[in-house]
Amino acid sequence: MSDGIEGDASVSDERERAFNERLDRSLKIEPTNWMPDAYRKTLVRQISQHAHSEIVGMLPEGNWITRAPSLQRKLILLAKVQDEAGHGLYLYSAAETLGTPRDEMVAALHAGKAKYSSIFNYPTLQWADVGAIGWLVDGAAIINQIPITRCSYGPYARAMVRICKEESFHQRQGFDIMWTLAHGTPEQHAMAQDALDRWWWPAVMMFGPPDTDSTHNEQSLRWKIKLFTNDELRQKFIDQTVPQAEQLGLVIPDPHLRWNAEKEHYEIGSIDWDEFYRVIRGDGPCNKDRLQTRIEAWEEGAWVREAAAEYARKRGAQSASP
C-alpha cells in the first residue's frame, strides 16, 4: 500500500499529463482546469503587464484630445482612448480568473513592481506623434496580439478577439493622420517625418529583448502562451511597416535598412538595447510622470469605487430581503 506522499505525487503527475494533453491537442485551458503554478504565474505576469500597458497607454494621447486640430479628430481620438480603457478592463478581468485580484495588480503597478510596455514612456511632443502612435505602436500591437487570440488560455484568447478588431481601427486612424500630414504642406510633412524619426526605434523595441536574451520565450512557447518569438514578431512588423513608410513618402531613420532578396526580409541596423533596458528600469523620458499620473488618478477615483461598492452592497441586500 503506497503512503500519502506517493499518492499525492501520482495525482500531481496525472494532472500534469492531462494539462499537457490539452496543450498537445490545442484545447484551451480554462480557469476550472488544473494548471501548473508556473503557468499561472507566467499568465498573470503577462496579462497584467498587458492590462497596465493599455491603461498607461491612454496617457500619451489623452492630453491631445483637447488640442486635436478639428472636432472630428477630437471625437476619433476620444473614442480611441475610451477603447484603450476598455481593453485594460477586459484584460484585468481575464487575469482575475487566475485568482489574482485587480487591486493587487494595480498596487503592484503603483509600487513599481509590475511593468508596462516601454513605448509609453516616451513623450508626445506634437500632433504628428498621435499619428505615429496609431500607425507604429498600434500596428506593432496588432502583430503581437493577433497570435494571442489562439493562445492556450481561454479567457485571455477570447478577450483578445475584440481588442484586436478595435486596434485595427486605431492603426488606420494613425495612418490616416500621417497620410494627411505627409501629403500636406512642407511643414506638415516635416512634422510627420520628425515623429517617425522619434518613434521608429521605440516601436521596434516594443516586441521585447532579442530571443538570445529573453528569459520567457522558450517556456511560453512550450505552453502556447506565445506562438512566435520576439524576433519573429519584430521581423514581421518591419517587413509590414517599411513599405507603408514608402507609401507615405517618409524615410525610415535607419541608414543600414536594406532589402535582403534571398531571405525576402528587410534587414535593419543595430538596436540600442541599452536604451530599452534603461527605460524598462524606470529611467525613460516619462517613466516617473506616467506612473505618478496613474497613482493620482487612482487616488482621486477612490470615491467612485467606494460608491459603486456601496451601491452593489445595498442592491444585494435588497435582493436578499423577503
Side-chain angles (χ1 to χ4, degrees):
M1 179 177 180
S2 62
D3 59 24
I5 294 177
E6 290 177 345
D8 291 344
S10 177
V11 170
S12 178
D13 290 345
E14 183 59 34
R15 288 174 172 175
E16 188 83 33
R17 281 194 293 271
F19 172 80
N20 289 326
E21 182 181 351
R22 290 187 71 86
L23 293 181
D24 293 340
R25 296 171 60 192
S26 296
L27 298 176
K28 298 299 183 193
I29 305 298
E30 301 295 346
T32 54
N33 297 134
W34 181 91
M35 64 189 75
D37 289 341
Y39 176 83
R40 184 186 304 273
K41 183 178 179 180
T42 297
L43 278 169
V44 170
R45 177 191 57 79
Q46 180 170 323
I47 300 174
S48 65
Q49 178 176 313
H50 192 168
H52 298 329
S53 298
E54 297 285 356
I55 298 300
V56 177
M58 299 162 63
L59 300 177
E61 296 172 297
N63 63 9
W64 277 95
I65 292 174
T66 59
R67 295 183 286 165
S70 69
L71 177 58
Q72 183 183 39
R73 293 294 189 191
K74 287 179 172 65
L75 291 173
I76 294 171
L77 185 57
L78 182 63
K80 178 187 177 183
V81 172
Q82 179 177 283
D83 284 348
E84 305 296 1
H87 297 173
L89 296 181
Y90 301 154
L91 292 165
Y92 283 134
S93 296
E96 284 181 314
T97 65
L98 293 159
T100 302
R102 188 173 311 189
D103 287 357
E104 184 178 317
M105 289 182 275
V106 173
L109 172 66
H110 293 172
K113 297 178 181 179
K115 303 296 183 182
Y116 55 88
S117 179
S118 60
I119 195 74
F120 298 120
N121 288 310
Y122 291 86
T124 44
L125 304 178
Q126 56 180 346
W127 171 246
D129 290 21
V130 176
I133 289 175
W135 171 39
L136 298 175
V137 176
D138 292 322
I142 292 168
I143 288 174
N144 188 50
Q145 293 171 8
I146 285 178
I148 300 176
T149 64
R150 307 193 305 275
C151 81
S152 62
Y153 189 58
Y156 192 19
R158 289 188 288 272
M160 292 310 304
V161 172
R162 177 169 179 173
I163 290 174
C164 287
K165 289 180 179 179
E166 293 179 349
E167 290 289 3
S168 68
F169 284 103
H170 300 171
Q171 195 271 347
R172 293 301 304 173
Q173 172 252 6
F175 188 85
D176 180 67
I177 291 174
M178 296 296 281
W179 177 272
T180 301
L181 293 172
H183 293 80
T185 66
E187 291 79 10
Q188 289 173 322
H189 186 280
M191 185 187 297
Q193 182 64 57
D194 176 65
L196 173 57
D197 290 347
R198 287 182 290 106
W199 287 93
W200 169 253
W201 288 109
V204 169
M205 289 186 249
M206 269 185 70
F207 297 93
D211 294 344
T212 53
D213 293 346
S214 177
T215 57
H216 302 290
N217 257 345
E218 184 177 347
Q219 184 63 76
S220 292
L221 288 167
R222 186 157 56 246
W223 281 331
K224 298 185 180 180
I225 295 173
K226 293 180 65 173
L227 302 185
F228 300 96
T229 69
N230 295 350
D231 288 340
E232 288 172 335
L233 293 170
R234 189 177 357 263
Q235 186 64 61
K236 186 173 182 179
F237 168 73
I238 293 165
D239 291 342
Q240 171 182 290
T241 308
V242 172
Q244 293 174 354
E246 294 172 350
Q247 185 180 15
L248 289 170
L250 301 177
V251 179
I252 298 292
D254 180 1
H256 301 288
L257 178 69
R258 72 181 188 91
W259 173 253
N260 186 320
E262 182 179 347
K263 296 182 178 179
E264 296 187 340
H265 287 301
Y266 284 97
E267 295 181 352
I268 63 173
S270 299
I271 299 173
D272 185 357
W273 290 114
D274 288 341
E275 176 184 341
F276 173 79
Y277 288 115
R278 187 168 62 250
V279 174
I280 288 293
R281 289 194 299 266
D283 194 25
C286 298
N287 286 70
K288 294 179 181 178
D289 290 342
R290 297 283 189 253
L291 190 56
Q292 186 58 37
T293 299
R294 285 307 314 149
I295 293 173
E296 290 174 359
W298 180 260
E299 293 174 347
E300 291 172 4
W303 69 272
V304 178
R305 297 191 299 276
E306 292 167 2
E310 180 63 14
Y311 176 77
R313 186 190 67 79
K314 288 183 178 180
R315 290 280 292 180
Q318 290 173 358
S319 299
S321 61

